[in-house]
Amino acid sequence: MSAIDMPDITVVIPLYNGARYVHRSLESVLNQSYNRFEVIVVDDGSDDGGGEAVLSCGDPRVRLVRQENRGVSFARNRGAMEGRGSHIAYLDADDEWDRGFLEAVVCLVHTYPEAGIYGTGYRKVFSRGPIVEVTTKEVYHGQSTMLIHDYLERAMHLSPIHSSGVLIPRRILEELGGFTVGAVLGQDTEMWARISLRYPIAYDTRILFSFHETDNGNKPRFRGPARYGPVAKTLQEALEEPCEYAASREAMTAFARKYVLEKCLLFLSRGDWDAVQRCLKDHAGPCHRLALHGLADVFWMRPLLSCWARLEWFRRRFVNSRFFIRILGGRRVKKKISEALKRS
């Protein structure tokens, strides 16, 4: 492809108390084989010297923007606004790209210009134990790139895309209004769902970046009372609109129903009945009627429900664990998503 056809990319890295990791993320970006990019690091009120760690990088392509702590969604939107690229790539401060990640998603842009998101397979890296590689099942049939039209169906089990490995055209972000500010969990899932209602997702099945499981308990959005994200509410509102979407109404309903059910199971397993009531009240449309109708009124069953929910929650965690993948021989395909152990 000619240089004039190659998109300029703004790489946005939201940073909150990631001084230990941000050098790794920056190095993975600066070593990319594709080099038409700028990097905007948004320091979201860090108090561990993360901003100074970015400044010590010394590369002119990296710019630091400081703000009071406003949350990861605000930081992502701020980075896109500060940048000049026609496409925005996102990377969390504790994750890293393989050298060919940007080149791969740029190729997707040229191959599938109609897409709303461009992403690749990824690896989940834990502090101990085997790494899990996540991609679509098509990789086992030799398909390296594809358009995903059924994102919600695939994401019922596990999303094939992750917030540290997506490229989004600026026009799409401007059209849809960016990430939802104010929500503390699930903003990325809600964003992918919102885009998938209108556009297909272009995907490279190769594993091209690493998502590190690090210190979630130290991040503000993981503290405090039981919470849930905005994705079910977004799909619920879309179901009430008369216009047609790229995603089927059945897939939208099923995804929202499963999301509400799993959150209520989690809250019940913790014995937090108030959180269950809040969740059902906030999703009192199709999700409530189809998934958990009347559950909030069955007070006399509370002890039994809590016991059952705890058992069901741990069962679900087990069948989605790395240990269970190992039992299956190191590979699992579910809802068109493949998970494979990289090492034992």
Side-chain angles (χ1 to χ4, degrees), residues 39 53 69 76 82 90 102 118 123 127 148 158 181 191 201 216 223 233-234 253 261 300-301 305 340-342:
V39 183
N69 184 255
R76 287 173 179 152
E82 294 280 347
Y90 293 98
L102 280 183
Y118 302 90
R123 63 185 70 86
S127 57
I148 295 176
L158 181 67
V181 175
M191 186 65 174
I201 295 173
N216 284 344
R223 301 178 197 147
K233 192 71 172 177
T234 295
T253 302
L261 175 61
W300 63 273
M301 289 183 63
L305 280 172
L341 295 184
K342 183 178 179 182

Side-chain angles (χ1 to χ4, degrees), residues 38-194:
E38 61 177 349
V39 183
I40 308 291
V41 180
V42 182
D43 183 359
D44 190 35
S46 298
D47 56 14
D48 69 339
E52 285 65 33
V54 173
L55 292 175
S56 69
C57 164
D59 193 294
R61 293 172 292 179
V62 178
R63 181 154 59 98
L64 178 67
V65 176
R66 298 181 188 267
Q67 65 178 33
E68 295 182 358
N69 184 255
R70 301 288 298 274
V72 66
S73 288
F74 192 94
R76 287 173 179 152
N77 293 341
R78 174 79 183 275
M81 180 183 66
E82 294 280 347
R84 300 181 297 273
S86 61
H87 291 69
I88 314 298
Y90 293 98
L91 174 65
D92 289 348
D94 51 354
D95 299 331
E96 60 184 319
W97 290 340
D98 292 3
R99 177 172 167 78
F101 171 78
L102 280 183
E103 184 176 355
V105 291
V106 167
C107 287
L108 288 175
V109 170
H110 286 268
T111 306
Y112 306 107
E114 70 272 31
I117 310 176
Y118 302 90
T120 78
Y122 60 95
R123 63 185 70 86
K124 297 172 69 174
V125 181
F126 301 84
S127 57
R128 288 179 293 180
I131 295 169
V132 178
E133 295 186 334
V134 179
T135 186
T136 62
K137 71 173 185 178
E138 283 81 1
V139 71
Y140 296 115
H141 303 290
Q143 190 170 340
S144 59
T145 65
M146 58 185 293
L147 271 181
I148 295 176
H149 295 278
D150 58 347
Y151 170 75
L152 291 177
E153 294 178 22
R154 293 172 186 262
M156 288 277 285
H157 169 60
L158 181 67
S159 176
I161 57 176
H162 185 272
S163 56
S164 282
V166 293
L167 180 75
I168 304 177
R170 180 180 292 276
R171 60 179 177 79
I172 301 293
L173 292 171
E174 292 174 349
E175 174 190 340
L176 300 183
F179 290 85
T180 300
V181 175
V184 294
L185 291 172
Q187 312 96 319
D188 49 355
T189 301
E190 190 267 346
M191 186 65 174
W192 317 149
R194 190 152 33 107

Side-chain angles (χ1 to χ4, degrees), residues 225-228 263-283 295-299 302 305-306:
R227 298 169 177 176
Y228 44 85
K263 289 302 178 182
C264 286
L265 282 175
L266 172 61
F267 301 152
L268 278 171
S269 71
R270 296 176 178 175
D272 193 341
W273 191 259
D274 290 337
V276 175
Q277 290 181 283
R278 287 195 305 271
C279 186
L280 291 174
K281 181 180 179 181
D282 290 346
H283 303 98
L295 181 59
D297 298 323
V298 193
F299 289 101
R302 188 184 306 183
L305 280 172
S306 296

